[in-house]
């Protein structure tokens, strides 16, 4: 997937690799009048981290320029190449984020491709001085992925929500989608007993994974017995719909 995004990105923005710096623009401040644009040494790194540049504090942007300078000096090709690579990385992070919030893979690919080619990104990608946009986007997407994986997916309430949605889909006889959501609930919280009851119901109604029904029912019974205070469940037919305060 990352190679596809990279290929599309180079098709769209590849011509920018031949661009120079925009002299009559912020490139003056970030490139030509940037005292920190030199090889990234310990002294230079400390200077970047401990000083303002044109009354702003943006050390990561300046560090990235110094890294470019270490390899490319004043050749604009390298700076534009970094822009393209950062944009590709951001598109891939958008793709990963979409997968983590249960967007179907095909849709996630399409959205990531739209992200790559959307004209709103042109200025940020082709103008070297706008690297701060690309870097901030990188950290925003990274933070969101970390949050979803460690705060949302690890939250037992998230597993209950997925399981409840799966229960509704069972009632609508949309068994394939129901199994997908209930499977995600099982991954998020394997101790959620109603997951196994719902899996057994799906198997019984579809005739698939019938051999696992007894194991799922046994797991359900074990988890129910192990609860110090059994949770209250709503019962809708053969499957269980779990939420607080339902008796």
């Amino acid at each position: 997937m990352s190679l596809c995004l990279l290929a599309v990105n180079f098709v769209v923005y590849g011509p920018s690799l031949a661009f120079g710096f925009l002299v009559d623009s912020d490139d003056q401040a970030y490139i030509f009048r940037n005292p920190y644009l030199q090889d990234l040494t310990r002294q230079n790194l400390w200077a970047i981290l401990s000083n303002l540049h044109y009354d702003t504090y943006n050390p990561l942007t300046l560090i990235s320029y110094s890294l470019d300078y270490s390899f490319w000096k004043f050749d604009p090709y390298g700076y534009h190449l970094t822009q393209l690579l950062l944009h590709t990385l951001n598109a891939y992070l958008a793709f990963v984020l979409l997968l983590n919030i249960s967007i179907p893979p095909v849709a996630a690919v399409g959205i990531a491709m739209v992200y790559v080619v959307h004209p709103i990104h042109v200025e940020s990608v082709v103008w070297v001085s706008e690297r701060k946009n690309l870097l901030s986007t990188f950290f925003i997407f990274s933070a969101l992925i970390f949050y979803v994986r460690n705060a949302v997916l690890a939250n037992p309430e998230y597993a209950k929500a997925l399981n409840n949605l799966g229960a509704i889909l069972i009632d609508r006889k949309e068994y394939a989608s129901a199994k997908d959501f209930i499977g995600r609930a099982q991954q998020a919280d394997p101790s959620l007993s109603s997951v196994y009851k719902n899996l057994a119901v799906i198997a019984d109604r579809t005739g698939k994974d019938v051999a696992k029904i007894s194991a799922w029912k046994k797991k359900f019974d074990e988890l129910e017995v192990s609860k110090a205070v059994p949770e209250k469940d709503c019962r809708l037919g053969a499957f269980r719909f779990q939420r607080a305060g339902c008796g």
Side-chain angles (χ1 to χ4, degrees):
M1 179 60 195
S2 57
L3 293 178
C4 292
L5 292 172
L6 183 64
V8 173
N9 196 21
F10 268 81
V11 169
V12 176
Y13 292 107
S16 69
L17 295 173
F19 294 175
F21 297 114
L22 296 179
V23 178
D24 296 326
S25 72
D26 287 354
D27 286 358
Q28 280 280 357
Y30 287 109
I31 304 300
F32 300 108
R33 296 181 182 177
N34 179 1
Y36 312 111
L37 192 66
Q38 50 186 286
D39 290 334
L40 192 61
T41 61
R42 182 182 303 175
Q43 293 78 9
N44 189 33
L45 179 61
W46 176 249
I48 292 172
L49 293 173
S50 57
N51 291 283
L52 299 178
H53 181 61
Y54 282 88
D55 296 322
T56 60
Y57 185 71
N58 47 8
L60 292 178
T61 303
L62 296 178
I63 289 171
S64 72
Y65 291 141
S66 292
L67 285 171
D68 281 341
Y69 180 85
S70 298
F71 291 98
W72 303 99
K73 303 310 178 187
F74 285 104
D75 184 354
Y77 173 88
Y79 296 77
H80 286 293
L81 178 62
T82 301
Q83 303 283 110
L84 265 66
L85 294 176
L86 282 173
H87 186 52
T88 302
L89 179 59
N90 288 341
Y92 181 73
L93 290 177
F95 170 71
V96 173
L97 176 61
L98 291 168
L99 292 181
N100 276 272
I101 59 174
S102 302
I103 300 298
V106 174
V109 170
I111 294 170
M113 289 296 180
V114 170
Y115 181 92
V116 168
V117 303
H118 199 286
I120 198 173
H121 299 298
V122 170
E123 184 176 75
S124 296
V125 178
V126 304
W127 188 13
V128 173
S129 292
E130 288 299 289
R131 179 164 308 171
K132 52 187 175 290
N133 288 352
L134 299 174
L135 290 172
S136 62
T137 300
F138 168 79
F139 286 105
I140 289 170
F141 282 154
S142 298
L144 287 173
I145 292 170
F146 181 84
Y147 172 75
V148 168
R149 288 183 174 179
N150 294 277
V152 177
L153 298 183
N155 188 339
E157 294 303 316
Y158 176 74
K160 291 179 182 179
L162 290 174
N163 182 61
N164 292 346
L165 181 55
I168 293 171
L169 292 171
I170 292 174
D171 191 44
R172 293 170 55 89
K173 296 182 172 57
E174 298 179 20
Y175 299 118
S177 297
K179 187 175 181 179
D180 177 60
F181 280 103
I182 293 170
R184 292 172 186 267
Q186 183 185 19
Q187 290 179 347
D189 184 6
S191 66
L192 185 60
S193 60
S194 53
V195 162
Y196 301 95
K197 183 71 171 180
N198 287 334
L199 287 172
V201 171
I202 294 173
D204 181 62
R205 294 188 181 182
T206 61
K208 298 179 180 179
D209 296 323
V210 175
K212 297 181 180 179
I213 291 178
S214 59
W216 282 329
K217 288 183 176 180
K218 181 180 179 181
K219 184 68 174 179
F220 167 78
D221 292 335
E222 290 175 351
L223 290 172
E224 286 290 290
V225 171
S226 67
K227 291 178 181 178
V229 180
E231 296 186 28
K232 295 180 180 180
D233 302 321
C234 292
R235 294 183 181 273
L236 298 177
F239 59 90
R240 299 165 68 88
F241 185 91
Q242 192 170 70
R243 64 182 176 85
C246 183

